[in-house]
Structures are given as C-alpha cells and as structure tokens.
Amino acid sequence: MGTEFHLGAGDAAAGPYAVDIDPERAGWGYSSLRVLDLPPGGHHSFATGDSEWIVLPLSGGCTVLTDGGDVFELTGREDVFSGVTDFAYVPRDAQVQIASGAGGRFALTGARCARRLPARYGAASDVPVELRGSGSCSRQVNNFGAAGTFACDKLIAVEVLTPGGNWSSYPPHKHDECRPGEESELEEIYYFEIEAAHGTDGVGYQRVSPSGRGRGTDVLAEVRSGDAVLIPDGWHGPSIAAPGHAMYYLNVMAGPGETREWLICDHPEHGWIRGTWPEQPVDPRLPRYEAPAPEAAQASPGSDAAGAPVAPASPTVPGTAGSPGSPDHPDHPDHPGPPDHPGPPGHPDAPVGDAR
C-alpha cells in the first residue's frame, strides 16, 4: 500500500500505462513518468503535448516513430540488470508511436518545457557508465540523460544500480531550492525494480526526510518492483538494497531553473561519509555491465530488437509543429537547435563521488 509520496505498483496506473505520473498527479510543475507494457506486436500512440520525452526500454526493443518522419529503431535490452540501452528523444508538440514486435516494457521520462528541440536517437555506446562511492556505498550510474551528457530543455534522467546489501543515494542530499552555483530546484521521481533471487521477488527501502521546505516530504518506504517515490522536496537517501537483491531505480528530474543542471546539497549530519571513500575499494560486483561497443549499438533498419518488422511511419501533418514547413521543425532554418548546457555531476569536469 502506498502513501501520498510512495506509490506502490499499480497505484499510479491509468489507461494503457502501468505507471502514469504527470505534474497534476504529483502536485508540481514539471516532471513526468509513464511506464508502458506492450504485448508482442503491440503498439501505442500518444501526443507529447507541452513536454519533451525520452523513450527508454526497460525490457525488450521497439521502434519509435514521430509525425515529423523520424524513425528510431531501439535495440533495447533483456532487462534493466542486463545492460545499457539505447533510447529516443521526442520533442513537445509531436505525435509519437511506439511499436514492438516482440513486446516489452518501456519508460517514458518527461518534463514540461518551453523549447522544441530535434527528435534524436541516443546510442547505448554513448551512455557514460559511472561508478560512484566505494565500499558498501558503491553504485553504478548510467548517465543517459544527464545534463552534461544529452541535450534536453528541462529533462534530466539517469539510472542507478545498487548491489544487494549496499546503500546508494547517500549521503542524503537535496535539491529543493535555487541557490546559484550551489543547489538546483528539481522535482524528482524514483521508479524501482528489484532483482529477484532464489525464487523471491525481493524488496528495498527508501528514505526521504523533511528539509524544512515545501511540502515537508517524509517517507520511509519498503519498495518493490514497479513502485515509485515522489520527491518534491526534502533530503532523499539512503536507497537501500536488501542483501541478495540488487536494486535499480530510474531518476526523473526537472525544475524551473533557467539552466538545466543538477546541483545538490548534502545533509550536514551525513556528508562526512564522503571522506571515508578514498580509503575503501569499489565493490568488486561493479560495474554490473559496461556500455556496448559502437558497432553493436543499433538494430538493423526495419526491425526491432527481436528482428520483427516494424510499423510504417505515421504521415507528417503539414503546417503543424514538427512538420518540415514549421519553424519548430529541426530542419527549418529558424529552428534554435540544441542547447549548450553546462554539465554538473556526471560531466567530466564534475567532482567525483556525488550522492546519486
């Protein structure tokens, strides 16, 4: 059973989505998450509306088509514990179809935004795989949608893998107020999957404690696969993986700041733990996997990850946003093009060992 901020599996289901969290449901302004299950041969269409989205395979592969004529073949992966995946970015004010010959589970990470950027393919080989912390705080971060890695207007998204028995999202940290150069104001969604072992599904735990700002978010939750935790404010962490069961979570963030950046503030009572990390080795179970070599990154044209034929592209709607005749289309000479955002943690110039 969930609470206001902890949504158990099924609590946030709506229509075709196993998880459907939008700003109205969460009570905030920007961040969204949908999780879509498709059967073999299944397909789903949606309007992006006022938000930009990344289509991220959690299991299986798919084809992503837009009304601007874009077709992206996503190889995908067996599951979140088996490898890095490729992904597709689709802009606001577009019509999108997702089709899967073999079926699968797909996350749609979204953020309300002002600018309409080009639809793009993100190769798995280009995803920076980063190890953070050490000892029992070791974890792996797949920075597919980090601010210094992939251009978006507002959206920031990463994946975190925590070996069984370890703590991640530690020390507890927050990003619930704008302090230029020190802290960003970002809403955040955690979506969890727990690796099964010895015939049991496994559990993990998530803590969020009040920071004195906003809604006073206070969560101590047992989390299972399919659960989500909403973090409008507060110190979040630790995320605890039970021994024997690795934990995966997908972080989706966005906020009102003019600059897309992830700047955090450590909890003053726990930040000292960083000073112990150089004395300890990284957990030898990490990395769980590396990004694939470039030549293996994308499926052959005309098929999804399972080799099944894909649906044809939807026709372009003339004169609408996303069509070649519109100034919002990436090929139009007046289109602003992708931003050049600075890169916070996860960027090569960022400090090592941040809290995610």
Side-chain angles (χ1 to χ4, degrees):
M1 179 180 294
T3 64
E4 178 184 3
F5 302 111
H6 171 218
L7 305 175
D11 289 347
Y17 301 113
V19 175
D20 188 2
I21 300 168
D22 60 13
E24 287 73 26
R25 170 68 177 82
W28 55 37
Y30 296 91
S31 300
S32 294
L33 174 67
R34 298 171 178 169
V35 176
L36 174 69
D37 290 311
L38 287 179
H43 59 85
H44 172 69
S45 297
F46 70 99
T48 59
D50 62 0
S51 297
E52 58 186 350
W53 299 85
I54 287 178
V55 180
L56 181 80
L58 300 175
S59 64
C62 67
T63 302
V64 179
L65 309 99
T66 75
D67 59 355
D70 305 289
V71 181
F72 303 114
E73 312 289 356
L74 303 188
T75 301
R77 53 188 167 183
E78 181 179 351
D79 57 48
V80 297
F81 299 103
S82 65
V84 178
T85 185
D86 50 357
F87 59 93
Y89 172 92
V90 292
R92 59 168 293 161
D93 301 317
Q95 295 288 331
V96 178
Q97 183 187 75
I98 303 172
S100 180
R105 188 171 179 88
F106 308 96
L108 283 63
T109 66
R112 279 183 175 157
C113 63
R115 294 187 299 166
R116 190 174 195 275
L117 306 182
R120 279 160 289 139
Y121 172 78
S125 58
D126 291 337
V127 174
V129 173
E130 177 186 2
L131 301 185
R132 296 183 184 169
S134 66
S136 60
C137 290
S138 301
R139 61 273 204 177
Q140 173 176 329
V141 184
N142 301 334
N143 287 299
F144 72 94
T149 299
F150 189 84
C152 299
D153 188 28
K154 291 288 188 182
L155 178 62
I156 298 172
V158 301
E159 301 179 302
V160 180
L161 292 161
T162 308
N166 284 11
W167 285 22
S168 59
S169 196
Y170 197 79
H173 59 284
K174 74 181 185 76
H175 40 70
D176 58 12
E177 59 182 312
C178 180
R179 295 185 297 132
E182 297 183 26
E183 184 177 354
S184 307
E185 182 180 350
L186 296 168
E187 311 151 351
E188 185 163 16
I189 303 168
Y190 276 50
Y191 167 78
F192 294 90
E193 294 198 3
I194 309 297
E195 188 173 36
H198 297 279
T200 61
D201 292 335
V203 300
Y205 296 88
Q206 177 66 45
R207 179 73 173 120
V208 185
S209 55
S211 65
R213 296 187 58 81
R215 294 153 65 177
T217 307
D218 193 348
V219 176
L220 177 56
E222 180 179 284
V223 293
R224 300 172 181 270
S225 290
D227 286 14
V229 171
L230 308 181
I231 306 175
D233 49 67
W235 305 103
H236 39 293
S239 304
I240 303 172
H245 296 276
M247 170 188 281
Y248 164 95
Y249 51 87
L250 171 62
N251 292 137
V252 183
M253 293 168 276
E258 292 185 6
T259 302
R260 175 177 170 249
E261 57 186 352
W262 183 66
L263 301 178
I264 64 170
C265 174
D266 283 347
H267 194 295
E269 296 179 6
H270 303 286
W272 62 267
I273 196 68
R274 293 184 188 277
T276 70
W277 290 347
E279 305 165 4
Q280 304 173 65
V282 173
D283 191 312
R285 293 173 290 178
L286 296 176
R288 179 73 183 242
Y289 45 72
E290 300 276 8
E295 58 271 18
Q298 189 171 9
S300 60
S303 65
D304 68 8
V310 301
S314 301
T316 298
V317 181
T320 60
S323 68
S326 166
D328 292 330
H329 191 272
D331 294 332
H332 193 281
D334 294 333
H335 190 275
D340 182 17
H341 292 300
H347 187 272
D349 296 329
V352 176
D354 50 63
R356 181 65 50 214

